[in-house]
Amino acid sequence: RFFPAQKSFGPIDAHSLRRYRIFRRLGFFGIDPQTRAGAAKFLRVSRELLADSENMLWLTPEGTFRDERARPVTFERGLGHLAAIVPPTKFLPVAIEYDFWNEKRPEALVAFGKPVTNENPTDADLLTQRFARALERTQDVLASAAQRREPAEWETLWRGHVGTSPLYDLWRRAVSVVRGERFSAGHEET
């Protein structure tokens, strides 16, 4: 929806990629994040991919999945090193939360931050810190909006199923019919 002309790629632990081969078809490439050879491969492949303006690289520069509320946000140094060697590029911070609001399944909330460029690249560590602060700001904006729970602040891209369970919802529907009320499977009127 947001980047229809882009081809997506991303690094993944080589061991995981061997285990879940389908990710190759989705544009993932394997690296060993704990070795110098893995870091070199990340930089080489990423640089080659970003040489084509149709390609987009998705990164989790923290090196692992972690709680979005953990502060400060810290990134592995590879992002700064990549930013220092590629031509001027836009880096877009993306924050994602899965919050339970009113249904049994979570809401997937996404916020895009302001793009950060690597024009006039300086020290790779300073670039890494700059990108980490940009993601942290984006996460903070998303967390505040998630806590407010104001539907008007969100653009819904996809609606999942609502309700508790098929059997319980059948019973709730029957009660609604007996009472002459309109049945809604969701916990809130829409």
Side-chain angles (χ1 to χ4, degrees):
R1 159 100 189 241
F2 293 102
F3 308 103
Q6 303 300 123
K7 295 179 205 163
S8 293
F9 298 91
I12 189 172
D13 182 279
H15 174 71
S16 297
L17 189 58
R18 284 190 297 274
R19 189 171 178 193
Y20 305 105
R21 293 181 184 164
I22 185 126
F23 284 118
R24 271 191 210 284
R25 292 187 199 159
L26 300 175
F28 286 90
F29 57 94
I31 61 166
D32 183 353
Q34 305 304 319
T35 67
R36 290 183 71 109
K41 181 178 180 183
F42 163 74
L43 292 173
R44 186 185 78 253
V45 173
S46 297
R47 186 178 195 179
E48 290 169 6
L49 289 168
L50 292 176
D52 184 339
S53 63
E54 290 185 9
N55 293 339
M56 175 179 270
L57 189 63
W58 292 86
L59 303 171
T60 53
E62 293 156 309
T64 186
F65 292 108
R66 54 185 289 225
D67 192 296
E68 69 272 3
R69 296 164 291 196
R71 297 292 185 268
V73 170
T74 57
F75 285 172
E76 295 292 321
R77 299 175 68 213
L79 176 59
H81 286 284
L82 177 63
I85 64 170
V86 295
T89 304
K90 288 184 183 177
F91 294 80
L92 183 65
V94 180
I96 303 171
E97 283 191 24
Y98 296 95
D99 292 331
F100 287 89
W101 282 0
N102 299 319
E103 300 299 332
K104 72 177 184 175
R105 293 192 175 100
E107 306 279 341
L109 307 176
V110 179
F112 295 97
K114 294 180 181 175
V116 179
T117 63
N118 63 335
E119 293 176 25
N120 307 318
T122 56
D123 179 84
D125 289 332
L126 292 175
L127 285 167
T128 300
Q129 292 172 15
R130 189 170 153 206
F131 295 136
R133 298 296 74 80
L135 179 60
E136 190 171 289
R137 284 190 299 272
T138 306
Q139 288 175 315
D140 291 344
V141 166
L142 178 60
S144 293
Q147 290 172 25
R148 286 191 300 275
R149 295 174 61 164
E150 291 291 335
E153 292 185 39
W154 301 94
E155 179 182 350
T156 301
L157 300 179
W158 182 72
R159 289 197 188 278
H161 298 285
V162 297
T164 306
S165 73
L167 187 58
Y168 182 61
D169 287 343
L170 180 63
W171 177 76
R172 290 175 54 221
R173 183 180 304 275
V175 169
S176 294
V177 169
V178 169
R179 291 182 178 166
E181 299 171 350
R182 185 176 78 82
F183 173 72
S184 174
H187 294 313
E188 146 179 316
E189 292 295 323
T190 56

